[in-house]
Amino acid sequence: MSAGAVGRAHTRLEGPEKVSGTARYAVEYPLDDVTYGWAVPTAAVRGRITRLDSEPALAVPGVVAVLHHGNAPRLSPDVDPELYLLQEPAVHYRGQFVALVVAESIEAAREGARHVRIDYDTEPHSTVLTADHPGLYRPEKVNPGYPTDTAEGDFDAAFAASEVRVDVTYRTPAYHNNPMEPHATTAQWRDGRLLVHDSNQGSTAVQAALAELFGLPRDAVRVVSEHVGGGFGSKGYPKAAVVLAALAARQVGRPVRLALTRQQIFGPVGYRTPTIQRVRLGADADGRIAAVCHDAISQTSRLTEFAEQTAVYTRSMYAAPHRRTTHRLVRLDVPTPFWMRAPGECPGAYALESAMDELAAACGIDPVELRIRNEPDIDPDQGHPFTSRNLVACLTEGARRFGWADRNPRPCARREGRWMIGTGVAGSSYPARARASAATATAFPDGGYLVRINATDIGTGARTALWQVAADALDTPPERVRILIGDSDLPPAGVAGGSMGTSSWSWAVMRACQELRDQLSHHSGALPAEGLTVEAHTADEIRAQRPMARYAYGAQFAEVRVDADTGEVRVSRLLGVFAVGRVVNPTTARSQLIGGMTMGMSMALHEEGVLDERYGDWVNHDLATYHIPACADVERVEAYWVPEEDPDLNPAGVKGLGEIGIVGTAAAIASAVRHATGVRVRDLPIRLDKLIGVSGVA
Ligand code: MOS
């Protein structure tokens, strides 16, 4: 690579289209004869539909059809129980979509939905996760294929023999992904082929699922996802909206637009499972950890198993000869949990990094120093070398930038007027993986190039980053390169998820571009008018990778102030330093990192799905009652990165940075609150009522 586009700040290529409103999202493509869908969620929790009367809905002017289990087109039952929609009278959780009203206008569809009459036979339900739930079981593996439990050495003996012991339990509530754009689809059938414009994180996967569900060959399904307004994991796999829209479009023989409402995305399209996590750390008086154990409990649904990898973070983070991790699940009458930014690592790091702070306090050692003392030489889990591990560099650089050296370790030591002030730190890590992808590169006679890959830009700047990578791989000015993404007709590629978009896609793009240059160097005479095209696949190369530990790292620093009269917590400052391989585009990279950190602050102080067992559902189903930070809550957020060359990762040397920003943030804030007030909050979110009366707070 030599053109020098990689590493240079560049605003998003599609930015002008987005700010001028010409960028089309899934339900914004102009279409003749379009109809509108409105999904009908069930108010029952567990049972079956005994009667569904759609006549009153059909009587609403403009209503075209009401789909339900009695009349909807049939789907293949073997794809995913969550997507087997409108096929059976069974109700598995409150909010499950049991009907879809299709109408000439969105208003008529919504009005029609109010008039669908449903009777149920209901059964008792269980929807609350508890540590002693009788249904606790050990899953076969945890996402995305890790062993359920791990053990090395003799944890119990080493813990019992440790001079300093921490044995604490942390709880996190359910969290709901709230991308700006909800799950939304426009579906149309033409001559037996299905075309959908859909909001998702990877349309290759959506195409595959739709083909299976409807019993079609893959090439009879096209999924266009040119612009996507966020996902955070909730759109990492096809969900209800796209299936409902495709069913309805087939039924009514017209295009159907369906956007879930804000309220409807609280549950049926996935959420982060609540967790109960017991962490035990045994160390000597110098803070050298001898024994670490992390036992995680989370929930899944009765429909299908989703086993969040909550304790996996602890397997590779800090050294200790005696170590154990376990995962247990409960099947509840709830929608299936799903991915949310750094699934597993994020709640897991809240627990382990908080426990590290508790250990630092118990040993009287600075929490930055404690982490440095427990830095492993090789991956403590698998015994493999790290491709690169710059956690210590992140900690020391972060401490320098934050001004950590001036910190008085004593809690409640700093006070400015009514504000009690404290600081906290946490480590952060996230796997650096890549998924097999394909790409084509074409050279044209006029000196221009076209790169095609079914990557997805969910707002991250992926399109721009790939364009920069391609320009350098082609050794040409970026203006000569055009990049096409977001369409299942393009070469298949992995999802924008797991922080492996840029690593996976840039790999295929670079291979295609390098191969094209190679062919061009042997080419004599003019290029044909249609250009010279080469295609690259990375599956073999990824499979042949050496076994090594591949992770991104970070250090999170937080300063909070707590109102001594009211317990109000403000985050005055967040500062993160990250080791994420090569940074392709500093502008979009920074936006991912500060976005992740802000989401972590939201987790620490604001977000909480509050479940009411009587109704088997969360009581807060909108952004008025499910709190997230407003701009005024976000004061100073700084993200930096250390230089990192990592040739063992992938050709571009990138680690991905969509998730690392959220990992550890909540622990840094919780530890800062403890430093300010003396109170350790072990169940998120940190609300003022958890501080009032128990600390220096009034
Ligand atoms: Mo991310 S939760 O893997 O989209």
Side-chain angles (χ1 to χ4, degrees):
M1 300 208 293
S2 54
V6 168
R8 220 182 296 149
H10 201 291
T11 54
R12 289 165 175 76
L13 294 175
E14 73 283 3
E17 282 173 75
K18 283 182 172 169
V19 296
S20 62
T22 57
R24 300 271 183 218
Y25 290 80
V27 289
E28 297 180 340
Y29 289 82
L31 260 182
D32 292 332
D33 205 29
V34 71
T35 62
Y36 298 83
W38 196 279
V40 181
T42 168
V45 184
R46 183 179 187 187
R48 20 188 329 110
I49 296 170
T50 52
R51 197 182 67 102
L52 189 148
D53 181 8
S54 46
E55 288 308 317
L58 288 165
V60 171
V63 170
V64 173
V66 177
L67 278 81
H68 51 79
H69 66 278
N71 67 359
R74 295 296 97 186
L75 297 171
S76 163
D78 310 319
V79 182
D80 175 352
E82 280 276 354
L83 300 182
Y84 196 56
L85 292 156
L86 313 188
Q87 305 293 302
E88 297 178 319
V91 173
H92 303 283
Y93 55 86
R94 188 172 151 119
Q96 178 187 324
F97 298 123
V98 290
L100 186 80
V101 176
V102 184
E104 299 291 349
S105 69
I106 197 163
E107 293 81 4
R110 180 175 57 193
E111 181 64 10
R114 291 182 52 229
H115 293 277
V116 178
R117 303 269 173 265
I118 310 175
D119 296 330
Y120 303 93
D121 257 352
T122 59
E123 293 170 48
H125 60 257
S126 173
T127 53
V128 175
L129 180 69
T130 54
D132 57 355
H133 197 286
L136 277 173
Y137 74 100
R138 181 184 179 282
E140 289 279 302
K141 57 182 171 56
V142 295
N143 301 332
Y146 289 111
T148 304
D149 300 342
T150 56
E152 176 134 1
D154 185 345
F155 168 78
D156 291 313
F159 183 68
S162 291
E163 265 173 278
V164 184
R165 285 189 292 272
V166 168
D167 180 352
V168 279
T169 297
Y170 301 93
R171 285 181 168 75
T172 56
Y175 297 106
H176 295 278
N177 266 325
N178 270 282
M180 293 267 275
E181 182 193 27
H183 292 69
T185 305
T186 304
Q188 41 191 323
W189 291 82
R190 290 182 189 155
D191 310 320
R193 293 167 57 89
L194 173 60
L195 168 65
V196 303
H197 290 82
D198 182 54
S199 183
N200 62 66
Q201 292 174 232
S203 64
T204 297
V206 177
Q207 177 196 39
L210 289 174
E212 281 188 66
L213 281 166
F214 287 92
L216 299 166
R218 281 232 192 158
D219 60 8
V221 180
R222 182 175 171 203
V223 183
V224 178
S225 309
E226 194 183 356
H227 299 292
V228 175
F232 306 108
S234 73
K235 298 174 186 167
Y237 183 76
K239 293 285 169 185
V242 68
V243 179
L244 292 173
L247 279 170
R250 173 163 262 193
Q251 181 93 332
V252 304
R254 292 168 61 182
V256 173
R257 272 189 193 141
L258 173 65
L260 298 185
T261 66
R262 181 62 56 189
Q263 288 85 353
Q264 287 173 344
I265 66 175
F266 282 75
V269 291
Y271 56 96
R272 196 197 293 281
T273 173
T275 69
I276 303 169
Q277 307 179 55
R278 181 180 183 194
V279 178
R280 282 172 284 176
L281 292 169
D284 66 18
D286 293 332
R288 290 208 164 67
I289 302 170
V292 55
C293 180
H294 191 160
D295 300 305
I297 295 172
S298 64
Q299 73 190 37
T300 185
S301 69
R302 289 201 195 273
L303 269 175
T304 183
E305 183 178 278
F306 179 91
E308 176 123 326
Q309 66 273 40
T310 313
V312 162
Y313 179 86
T314 296
R315 293 180 185 168
S316 295
M317 194 59 182
Y318 298 111
H322 304 279
R323 36 204 317 124
R324 186 159 84 207
T325 61
T326 68
H327 293 89
R328 296 294 176 268
L329 275 181
V330 187
R331 289 190 185 277
L332 299 176
D333 301 299
V334 294
T336 311
F338 201 59
W339 300 329
M340 182 164 172
R341 207 168 198 167
E345 280 80 6
C346 174
Y350 159 63
L352 180 66
E353 297 294 341
S354 295
M356 287 294 282
D357 200 70
E358 304 210 39
L359 179 64
C363 296
I365 294 172
D366 178 83
V368 171
E369 172 59 25
L370 178 78
R371 287 171 172 86
I372 293 172
R373 274 185 204 178
N374 290 287
E375 176 71 1
D377 299 327
I378 54 167
D379 175 12
D381 182 41
Q382 297 288 315
H384 296 136
F386 293 101
T387 58
S388 56
R389 179 172 163 121
N390 282 307
L391 175 62
V392 172
C394 293
L395 285 164
T396 48
E397 173 70 1
R400 185 186 68 78
R401 286 183 179 270
F402 191 77
W404 188 260
D406 305 335
R407 182 186 196 244
N408 178 345
R410 207 162 47 77
C412 310
R414 248 175 98 192
R415 179 105 188 216
E416 284 171 23
R418 279 166 46 180
W419 295 112
M420 309 168 77
I421 296 171
T423 53
V425 63
S428 180
S429 133
Y430 192 80
R433 308 186 191 95
R435 239 189 228 123
S437 297
T440 64
T442 304
F444 294 101
D446 66 357
Y449 296 91
L450 174 65
V451 172
R452 300 162 68 251
I453 179 169
N454 190 21
T456 316
D457 192 327
I458 60 174
T460 56
R463 181 182 275 109
T464 312
L466 289 179
W467 169 76
Q468 293 173 265
V469 166
D472 281 10
L474 290 164
D475 195 20
T476 196
E479 308 78 63
R480 294 244 181 107
V481 181
R482 231 164 35 94
I483 180 132
L484 275 183
I485 66 167
D487 186 335
S488 67
D489 275 1
L490 298 168
V495 296
S499 293
M500 54 185 140
T502 305
S503 58
S504 312
W505 306 324
S506 67
W507 199 324
V509 165
M510 285 178 72
R511 290 298 180 242
C513 292
Q514 287 159 349
E515 172 66 18
L516 179 64
R517 282 186 67 192
D518 197 46
Q519 292 205 12
L520 286 172
S521 69
H522 298 113
H523 191 89
S524 48
L527 291 172
E530 74 278 12
L532 176 66
T533 298
V534 302
E535 180 158 354
H537 300 260
T538 59
D540 292 343
E541 221 184 322
I542 288 176
R543 216 174 297 120
Q545 277 186 303
R546 283 194 292 157
M548 293 184 83
R550 297 174 164 82
Y551 294 92
Y553 291 94
Q556 306 262 13
F557 292 79
E559 181 185 277
V560 304
R561 56 189 199 280
V562 180
D563 188 304
D565 294 323
T566 67
E568 176 190 5
V569 180
R570 309 282 310 176
V571 178
S572 316
R573 189 178 184 199
L574 279 179
L575 185 150
V577 177
F578 301 93
V580 288
R582 177 173 293 146
V583 169
V584 175
N585 182 338
T587 301
T588 53
R590 179 175 174 278
S591 122
Q592 283 301 298
L593 293 170
I594 64 173
M597 293 165 73
T598 304
M599 207 161 163
M601 187 247 261
S602 185
M603 170 185 178
L605 301 184
H606 300 274
E607 293 182 53
E608 179 178 22
V610 179
L611 200 114
D612 186 334
E613 175 78 320
R614 290 171 299 173
Y615 303 102
D617 199 356
W618 295 281
V619 297
N620 44 353
H621 264 252
D622 54 41
L623 294 178
T625 51
Y626 181 87
H627 291 173
I628 56 170
C631 284
D633 293 309
V634 184
E635 299 184 13
R636 190 167 163 194
V637 184
E638 302 158 74
Y640 306 97
W641 43 87
V642 295
E644 190 174 70
E645 291 284 323
D646 193 332
D648 284 309
L649 276 177
N650 49 62
V654 301
K655 281 186 171 175
L657 33 69
E659 343 242 340
I660 184 109
I662 195 175
V663 181
T665 315
I669 292 170
S671 296
V673 168
R674 191 262 170 189
H675 185 228
T677 64
V679 177
R680 170 76 54 183
V681 176
R682 298 194 183 96
D683 58 326
L684 295 181
I686 302 165
R687 287 193 317 251
L688 43 79
D689 55 287
K690 298 176 186 175
L691 300 173
I692 285 177
V694 288
S695 64
V697 177

